[in-house]
Amino acid sequence: MNDMSQGYTTADGRKIGGTLMEMKNITLRFGGVVAIKDISFDIREGEIRAIIGPNGAGKSSMLNVISGFYIPTEGEVWFRGERRPQMKPYQVAQQGIARTFQNIALFKGMSTLDNIMTGRMTMMKTGMAAQALWWGRAQREEDEHREKVEKIIDFLEIQHIRKTPVGRLPYGLQKRVELGRALAAEPKLLLLDEPMAGMNVEEKEDMSRFILDVNDEFGTTIALIEHDMGVVMDLSDRVVVMDYGKKIGDGTPDEVRNNQDVIDAYLGVSHD
Amino acid sequence: MFYREAGDFKTSYADDSQTFPIKFDRWRYYVVLAVAFGVIPLVVNDYWASSVLVPFLIYAIAAIGLNILTGYCGQVSLGTGGFMAVGAYACYKLMTAFPDINIVFHVLGAGLITAGVGVLFGLPSLRIKGFYLAVATLAAQFFLVWLFNKVPWFYNYSASGQINAAERTVLGVPVTGPNTEAWAQYMICLVFLFAVAWVARNLTRGTVGRSWMAIRDMDIAAEIIGVNPLKAKLTAFAVSSFFVGIAGALFFSVYLGAVEVGEAFGIQKSFLVLFMIIIGGLGSIFGSLAGAAFLVLLPVFLKNLLVGGLGWATDLAAHVELMIVGALIVVFLIVEPHGLAQLWRVGKEKLRLWPFPH
Ligand SMILES: Nc1ncnc2c1ncn2[C@@H]1O[C@H](COP(=O)(O)OP(=O)(O)OP(=O)(O)O)[C@@H](O)[C@H]1O
Ligand SMILES: [Mg+2]
C-alpha cells in the first residue's frame, strides 16, 4: 500500500485530500460488553469511507462515538487536525458532522419540509424575540434557509411530499427525507448508518446515485455503514472491516476483499 | 366549489409559509377578527361575557400556553393551575406595589414572573421524562397552591386570605373592579388572546418551534442533529408559563376580581386546561381555541338543556357533564389524538376535493 497521508487520487480520478477525522485507539465498553476494542482509522477529506462487518460488530457504536452520542472509554477523536474535547452531540453537529440513523429517526409529526429545515438548526441565528414578532430578520432568515432546503428537495426528487407529515411516508421515502435532513446541515462529514437497509434494488440504485452525487457535487466526506457488499464495493474508496469490536481489515475494496481475516469473518470461521 | 388552492399561486416562500395559505381561509379569518373586535363588543351583555366569552378568552390563552409545552414540545404538565396562580398573585403584588402603572404592564409582568418560575420548575425536565415529569409538575401544582395559602406576604396579610383586584383603567375605561362593563372585560381579554395567539403562531412556525417539535418527536435524534435540548425545553417552559401566567393574571384581575387560591387555581384547573388541548388538538393553536371553546360552552349548553329545558337537578347535570368530558377524552385519545383541529383539517381536505374525491 502506498503512503496516502498527503492524499491520493482514486481510480475514477477524484482527488482525496488530507485527514479530516482520525480515530485513535478507540475502546468503548458497556459494563462487561466491549463494543469497540482499540480501533484506529482515519477518514480523508472528500472520500467515501465504508465501515462493514457482521451484525453486532460495533459499526453503529463507532458512528455514535463520532457523533458524540457515545463517549469512548479510551482513545482520542481528532477532527480537522485538533483533538476533540468531550462534547455534547449538538455541539458535534455544530462542528459540521451530520448523520442518518439505522432505524429511521425522523420527526414523525412534522412535514418533510420541516424535518429538512430542522437539519439547518445549527445555522439559525435569529433570537426568540425577533421570531416571536416575525419581523425583518426572522422572516428573512426563514426564507433564505427555505431556499437552500428547496434545492435539497429538488436534488432528492421529493417535491411532491414537501408538505406531507413524514410519519405517513413509505419507508424508502423516509430514508430519503432523512438523508435530506442530514444534507441540510451542509456537513463536512456525513455519517450514514445503513442508508439502504430494507430497500429494493431500484431504491438502492437511487440512493447510491444520491450518495455519489453528494460526494461529487458538494465534495462532502462520507462515512457509511452498509451490509450489501456490492454497494460497498461500488461506492467506497476505502473500507474499514470490523468484527466483534475489533478492526480486522482496512484498505481499498479490492484489498479487503482479498484479506484472509475478512474472508474468515464473513464465512463464519470460528473465533478462538 | 369556492374552496380551492387552484389559481392561488405562490410566488415566494414567504407566501407559501403564511398562516392561511388559502385565500378563502384568509378571508374567513379576517371576518372572524372583524366580528370579534367590531361586532361582539357592541352587543355583548353581562351573561354572555361572564359565563361564556371572557372565560373562553382566558382559557384559550392558558390552553395555548400549555399546548406549547405539551403539544409542541412533548413535556406533559399537570401544573397549569399552579402557574396560573403564580400569574394571579404576581399580578396582584404588582398592582398593589405599583398602582400608578397601567394594568397591561402588570399582566405582562405577571407573565414574565411566571415564565421565570416555569423555567425553575422545568429544570427537572432535563433529567426526567413522561410520567415522572408529570408527577414533578403535579408536585409543583400542590406546592404553589400551598405557598400562596401559607405565606401571608403574597396576599398582603389580608384577613380573608383572599386577593382582590381594585379598579384599574385602560385608556380611561375600567377593566377591573366592580364598575367594569362587560364589553371592556371582553375587549381586554380579546386583545391579549389575539397577541398571544399571534406570537405563538410565529414561534411555532419558525426555528424555535421546530426545535420544540423535534424534541417532542425524537429527543435523541434532535440532539444529534444539532438541537440543544436544554435550550429547547427551557424556552418551551418559559414561553408556555408566560402565556399561562397572563391567563392567571387576567383570570384573577379581570374575570373573578377576588381569588382564593385553592378554589380558583386548584388541580382541577390543571386538568381542565389539559383536557382542552387534548380535545382541541395537541400541537395546534387553533386546537387550543377550539378546545377552550368546547369545554367552556359544554357546561353552559348542558345546563340550559338539562336543567333549563328538561328540568333536571343541577348536580345531576354536573355529573352528566363530567361523564361526557371523560368519555370524550378517552375517545379523542384513542381515535383522534390531534383533536378537533384535526377533524376540522380533515373536513377541509374533503371539501377541497369535493365534489370529485379522486
Ligand atoms: N447502549 C448500549 N448498551 C449496551 N450495549 C450496547 C449498546 N449499544 C451497543 N451495544 C452492544 O455493542 C455491540 C455492538 O453493537 P452495534 O450496534 O454497534 O453493532 P453493529 O455493528 O451496528 O450491528 P448491526 O449490523 O446489527 O447494526 C453489540 O453487542 C451491542 O449489543
Ligand atoms: Mg448497526
Side-chain angles (χ1 to χ4, degrees):
Chain A
M1 201 158 59
N2 51 346
D3 175 38
M4 301 192 300
S5 59
Q6 293 310 311
Y8 61 99
T9 309
T10 61
D12 55 346
R14 280 160 42 251
K15 288 242 178 320
I16 303 298
T19 304
L20 178 67
M21 172 148 254
E22 190 162 10
M23 312 300 283
K24 292 187 181 171
N25 306 97
I26 301 288
T27 294
L28 177 68
R29 280 194 211 97
F30 297 105
V33 182
V34 187
I36 301 174
K37 212 177 284 172
D38 194 27
I39 290 191
S40 303
F41 68 97
D42 65 352
I43 302 169
R44 284 158 191 290
E45 211 130 356
E47 95 181 324
I48 300 182
R49 187 74 147 125
I51 302 175
I52 64 169
N55 291 109
K59 307 178 295 294
S60 295
S61 301
M62 185 58 89
L63 284 204
N64 282 331
V65 169
I66 298 178
S67 56
F69 184 59
Y70 289 163
I71 296 154
T73 324
E74 284 161 42
E76 299 175 0
V77 178
W78 288 65
F79 187 58
R80 308 176 88 185
E82 281 172 37
R83 182 175 175 186
R84 192 171 81 188
Q86 215 188 83
M87 327 181 140
K88 299 267 184 206
Y90 74 89
Q91 293 168 316
V92 171
Q94 281 165 358
Q95 287 205 323
I97 298 181
R99 67 172 292 180
T100 65
F101 299 83
Q102 183 168 352
N103 306 306
I104 299 172
L106 285 170
F107 307 125
K108 293 232 160 41
M110 298 161 69
S111 65
T112 298
L113 182 62
D114 276 335
N115 266 276
I116 302 179
M117 285 291 276
T118 311
R120 298 184 69 80
M121 191 60 71
T122 55
M123 288 174 255
M124 302 286 188
K125 295 284 177 288
T126 26
M128 263 226 325
Q131 288 184 55
L133 303 176
W134 205 250
W135 263 337
R137 242 190 102 123
Q139 165 105 55
R140 221 166 34 241
E141 185 177 58
E142 183 86 1
D143 288 351
E144 282 163 17
H145 287 287
R146 174 79 190 269
E147 212 172 308
K148 299 267 170 58
V149 164
E150 287 293 337
K151 291 213 176 89
I152 291 169
I153 289 178
D154 287 344
F155 171 74
L156 294 174
E157 297 156 20
I158 47 177
Q159 299 89 340
H160 57 297
I161 53 164
R162 196 188 271 121
K163 297 278 172 82
T164 314
V166 294
R168 282 199 233 149
L169 298 175
Y171 180 83
L173 278 180
Q174 291 200 8
K175 280 266 184 200
R176 215 185 276 190
V177 174
E178 208 190 20
L179 175 64
R181 186 179 67 184
L183 287 179
E186 297 176 14
K188 299 265 170 336
L189 174 61
L190 175 62
L191 311 171
L192 305 173
D193 196 343
E194 305 200 13
M196 288 164 237
M199 288 186 167
N200 61 34
V201 177
E202 201 178 317
E203 290 172 323
K204 279 188 187 182
E205 276 170 4
D206 281 342
M207 190 54 97
S208 299
R209 180 164 54 84
F210 291 134
I211 292 172
L212 285 173
D213 283 353
V214 167
N215 176 256
D216 210 38
E217 284 179 31
F218 313 127
T220 309
T221 308
I222 296 172
L224 70 94
I225 297 174
E226 187 47 58
H227 278 294
D228 185 325
M229 281 320 229
V231 169
V232 170
M233 297 298 153
D234 281 353
L235 285 183
S236 55
D237 300 311
R238 289 190 302 152
V239 185
V240 178
V241 192
M242 293 177 69
D243 189 23
Y244 287 99
K246 283 185 293 205
K247 183 167 100 169
I248 57 169
D250 188 351
T252 63
D254 279 335
E255 283 166 353
V256 299
R257 193 166 23 201
N258 298 317
N259 178 327
Q260 192 56 45
D261 291 337
V262 176
I263 295 168
D264 289 349
Y266 272 86
L267 294 179
V269 172
S270 68
H271 294 258
D272 42 21
Chain B
M1 288 301 285
F2 44 82
Y3 191 65
R4 286 293 184 274
E5 279 175 332
D8 200 359
F9 295 111
K10 311 290 180 296
T11 51
S12 75
Y13 296 132
D15 274 359
D16 190 46
S17 63
Q18 63 192 342
T19 307
F20 300 103
I22 297 178
K23 221 183 223 152
F24 181 75
D25 285 340
R26 216 151 51 232
W27 279 107
R28 187 178 44 214
Y29 169 71
Y30 293 140
V31 169
V32 168
L33 281 189
V35 171
F37 279 94
V39 178
I40 294 180
L42 300 178
V43 298
V44 67
N45 59 22
D46 276 335
Y47 173 76
W48 274 93
S50 66
S51 64
V52 176
L53 291 169
V54 173
F56 158 69
L57 295 169
I58 295 174
Y59 281 124
I61 296 174
I64 289 174
L66 183 62
N67 221 334
I68 298 261
L69 185 64
T70 303
Y72 283 95
C73 196
Q75 313 295 303
V76 179
S77 168
L78 295 175
T80 314
F83 291 118
M84 284 178 80
V86 174
Y89 279 76
C91 184
Y92 172 68
K93 291 301 284 188
L94 290 172
M95 281 170 84
T96 49
F98 308 100
D100 299 328
I101 294 178
N102 192 294
I103 176 91
V104 171
F105 294 106
H106 295 144
V107 173
L108 290 175
L112 286 179
I113 290 170
T114 315
V117 175
V119 168
L120 207 63
F121 282 100
L123 286 174
S125 72
L126 306 174
R127 280 294 156 87
I128 55 178
K129 292 180 195 171
F131 174 71
Y132 297 96
L133 180 64
V135 172
T137 57
L138 191 62
Q141 164 74 42
F142 285 111
F143 170 75
L144 289 168
V145 168
W146 172 85
L147 184 74
F148 294 127
N149 248 330
K150 275 290 165 301
V151 182
W153 180 80
F154 286 113
Y155 47 87
N156 285 358
Y157 308 94
S158 78
S160 62
Q162 286 196 342
I163 56 175
N164 292 284
E167 178 169 307
R168 291 285 186 278
T169 58
V170 173
L171 306 173
V173 179
V175 293
T176 66
N179 298 323
T180 309
E181 289 185 60
W183 72 268
Q185 248 185 347
Y186 165 84
M187 204 62 186
I188 186 161
C189 293
L190 178 66
V191 169
F192 269 106
L193 172 61
F194 179 76
V196 161
W198 183 69
V199 166
R201 164 65 190 155
N202 286 343
L203 286 176
T204 51
R205 68 170 149 172
T207 312
V208 187
R210 283 191 292 266
S211 77
W212 292 338
M213 291 186 275
I215 290 287
R216 171 196 69 191
D217 285 350
M218 195 158 278
D219 54 351
I220 291 174
E223 179 166 11
I224 289 175
I225 70 159
V227 176
N228 179 346
L230 177 106
K231 209 170 129 190
K233 286 182 184 172
L234 291 188
T235 51
F237 268 98
V239 172
S240 163
S241 311
F242 179 66
F243 294 161
V244 170
I246 287 177
L250 293 173
F251 200 70
F252 151 66
S253 63
V254 175
Y255 184 55
L256 293 180
V259 156
E260 196 280 315
V261 62
E263 222 169 85
F265 300 117
I267 178 73
Q268 64 279 15
K269 200 110 298 174
S270 299
F271 280 113
L272 178 63
V273 180
L274 185 63
F275 292 164
M276 284 172 178
I277 65 169
I278 291 174
I279 290 179
L282 292 167
S284 159
I285 309 283
F286 171 74
S288 313
L289 304 187
F294 187 83
L295 283 191
V296 167
L297 281 173
L298 184 69
V300 176
F301 172 76
L302 286 180
K303 200 171 152 210
N304 280 324
L305 179 78
L306 300 179
V307 182
L310 302 176
W312 290 21
T314 318
D315 57 339
L316 187 60
H319 288 307
V320 170
E321 181 200 335
L322 275 180
M323 283 162 59
I324 292 181
V325 171
L328 278 173
I329 296 286
V330 174
V331 168
F332 271 108
L333 281 178
I334 294 172
V335 180
E336 186 49 84
H338 296 290
L340 294 172
Q342 180 66 10
L343 294 181
W344 174 249
R345 256 196 303 273
V346 171
K348 282 206 307 192
E349 209 65 33
K350 296 240 166 79
L351 185 59
R352 189 134 107 206
L353 301 173
W354 184 86
F356 309 109
H358 293 292

